[in-house]
Coordinates of all heavy atoms in Angstrom, one line a residue:
R184 N -10.2 -10.1 6.4 CA -9.9 -10.6 7.7 C -11.0 -11.2 8.4 O -12.2 -10.8 8.2 CB -9.4 -9.4 8.5 CG -8.0 -8.9 8.2 CD -6.9 -9.9 8.5 NE -5.6 -9.4 8.3 CZ -4.8 -8.9 9.2 NH1 -5.3 -8.7 10.5 NH2 -3.6 -8.5 9.0
N185 N -10.8 -12.2 9.2 CA -11.8 -12.8 10.0 C -12.0 -12.0 11.3 O -11.1 -11.3 11.8 CB -11.4 -14.3 10.4 CG -11.3 -15.2 9.2 OD1 -12.1 -15.0 8.3 ND2 -10.3 -16.0 9.2
M186 N -13.2 -12.1 11.9 CA -13.5 -11.4 13.1 C -12.8 -12.1 14.3 O -12.8 -13.4 14.3 CB -15.0 -11.3 13.3 CG -15.7 -10.4 12.3 SD -17.4 -10.1 12.8 CE -17.2 -9.0 14.2
W187 N -12.3 -11.3 15.2 CA -11.7 -11.9 16.4 C -12.5 -11.5 17.7 O -13.0 -10.3 17.7 CB -10.3 -11.3 16.6 CG -9.3 -11.9 15.6 CD1 -9.3 -11.7 14.3 CD2 -8.2 -12.8 15.9 NE1 -8.3 -12.4 13.7 CE2 -7.6 -13.1 14.7 CE3 -7.7 -13.3 17.1 CZ2 -6.4 -13.9 14.6 CZ3 -6.6 -14.1 17.0 CH2 -6.0 -14.4 15.8
M188 N -12.6 -12.4 18.6 CA -13.4 -12.1 19.8 C -12.6 -11.0 20.7 O -13.2 -10.1 21.3 CB -13.6 -13.3 20.7 CG -14.5 -14.3 20.0 SD -16.2 -13.6 19.7 CE -16.7 -13.3 21.4
N189 N -11.3 -11.1 20.6 CA -10.4 -10.2 21.4 C -9.3 -9.6 20.5 O -8.3 -10.3 20.4 CB -9.8 -10.9 22.6 CG -9.0 -10.0 23.5 OD1 -9.1 -8.7 23.3 ND2 -8.2 -10.5 24.4
P190 N -9.5 -8.5 19.9 CA -8.5 -7.9 19.0 C -7.3 -7.4 19.7 O -6.3 -7.0 19.1 CB -9.3 -6.7 18.4 CG -10.4 -6.4 19.3 CD -10.8 -7.7 20.0
L191 N -7.3 -7.4 21.1 CA -6.1 -7.0 21.9 C -5.4 -8.2 22.4 O -4.6 -8.1 23.4 CB -6.5 -6.1 23.0 CG -7.1 -4.7 22.6 CD1 -7.6 -4.0 23.8 CD2 -6.0 -3.9 21.9
S192 N -5.6 -9.4 21.9 CA -5.0 -10.6 22.4 C -3.5 -10.7 22.1 O -2.8 -11.5 22.8 CB -5.7 -11.8 21.8 OG -5.6 -11.8 20.4
D193 N -3.0 -10.0 21.1 CA -1.6 -10.1 20.7 C -1.1 -8.8 20.3 O -0.6 -8.6 19.2 CB -1.5 -11.1 19.6 CG 0.0 -11.5 19.4 OD1 0.8 -11.3 20.3 OD2 0.3 -12.0 18.3
V194 N -1.1 -7.8 21.3 CA -0.7 -6.4 20.9 C 0.7 -6.3 20.4 O 1.0 -5.6 19.4 CB -1.0 -5.5 22.2 CG1 -0.5 -4.1 21.9 CG2 -2.4 -5.5 22.5
M195 N 1.6 -6.9 21.1 CA 3.1 -6.8 20.7 C 3.4 -7.6 19.5 O 4.3 -7.3 18.8 CB 4.0 -7.1 21.9 CG 3.8 -6.2 23.1 SD 3.9 -4.4 22.7 CE 5.6 -4.3 22.2
E262 N -5.1 0.0 12.0 CA -5.0 -0.8 13.2 C -6.2 -0.5 14.1 O -6.8 -1.4 14.8 CB -3.7 -0.5 14.0 CG -2.4 -1.0 13.3 CD -2.4 -2.5 13.1 OE1 -2.8 -3.2 14.1 OE2 -2.0 -3.0 12.1
Q265 N -9.2 -2.2 12.7 CA -9.1 -3.6 13.1 C -9.6 -3.8 14.6 O -10.3 -4.8 14.9 CB -7.7 -4.1 13.0 CG -7.3 -4.3 11.5 CD -5.8 -4.8 11.4 OE1 -5.1 -4.7 12.4 NE2 -5.5 -5.3 10.2
L266 N -9.2 -2.8 15.4 CA -9.6 -2.9 16.8 C -11.1 -2.7 17.0 O -11.8 -3.6 17.7 CB -8.8 -1.9 17.6 CG -9.2 -1.7 19.1 CD1 -8.9 -3.0 19.9 CD2 -8.4 -0.5 19.7
F267 N -11.7 -1.7 16.4 CA -13.1 -1.4 16.6 C -14.0 -2.3 15.9 O -15.1 -2.6 16.4 CB -13.4 0.1 16.2 CG -12.7 1.1 17.1 CD1 -12.0 2.1 16.6 CD2 -12.7 1.0 18.5 CE1 -11.3 3.0 17.4 CE2 -12.1 1.9 19.3 CZ -11.4 2.9 18.8
L268 N -13.6 -2.8 14.7 CA -14.4 -3.7 13.9 C -14.1 -5.2 14.2 O -14.8 -6.0 13.6 CB -14.2 -3.4 12.4 CG -14.6 -2.0 12.0 CD1 -14.3 -1.8 10.5 CD2 -16.0 -1.7 12.2
R269 N -13.1 -5.4 15.1 CA -12.7 -6.8 15.4 C -12.3 -7.6 14.2 O -12.5 -8.8 14.1 CB -13.9 -7.5 16.2 CG -14.3 -6.9 17.5 CD -15.4 -7.6 18.1 NE -15.8 -7.0 19.3 CZ -15.3 -7.3 20.5 NH1 -14.3 -8.2 20.6 NH2 -15.8 -6.7 21.6
L270 N -11.6 -6.9 13.3 CA -11.1 -7.6 12.1 C -9.6 -7.7 12.3 O -8.8 -6.8 12.1 CB -11.4 -6.7 10.8 CG -12.8 -6.5 10.5 CD1 -13.0 -5.6 9.3 CD2 -13.5 -7.9 10.2
G271 N -9.1 -8.9 12.7 CA -7.8 -9.1 13.0 C -7.5 -8.6 14.4 O -8.3 -8.5 15.2
T272 N -6.2 -8.3 14.6 CA -5.8 -7.9 16.0 C -4.9 -6.6 15.9 O -4.2 -6.4 14.9 CB -4.9 -9.0 16.7 OG1 -3.8 -9.3 15.8 CG2 -5.7 -10.2 16.9
F273 N -5.1 -5.8 16.9 CA -4.3 -4.6 16.9 C -2.9 -4.9 17.4 O -2.7 -5.6 18.4 CB -4.9 -3.6 18.0 CG -4.2 -2.3 18.1 CD1 -4.6 -1.2 17.4 CD2 -3.1 -2.2 19.0 CE1 -3.9 0.0 17.5 CE2 -2.4 -1.0 19.1 CZ -2.8 0.1 18.3
Q274 N -1.9 -4.6 16.5 CA -0.5 -5.0 16.8 C 0.5 -3.8 16.6 O 0.5 -3.2 15.6 CB -0.1 -6.1 15.9 CG -0.9 -7.4 16.1 CD -0.5 -8.5 15.2 OE1 0.1 -8.3 14.2 NE2 -0.8 -9.8 15.6

Side-chain angles (χ1 to χ4, degrees):
R184 286 294 185 94
N185 295 323
M186 294 192 69
W187 287 67
M188 291 301 294
N189 182 14
L191 292 173
S192 60
D193 192 20
V194 174
M195 298 309 294
E262 293 298 320
Q265 289 179 342
L266 175 63
F267 294 132
L268 300 177
R269 298 179 181 272
L270 297 173
T272 57
F273 181 93
Q274 296 180 338

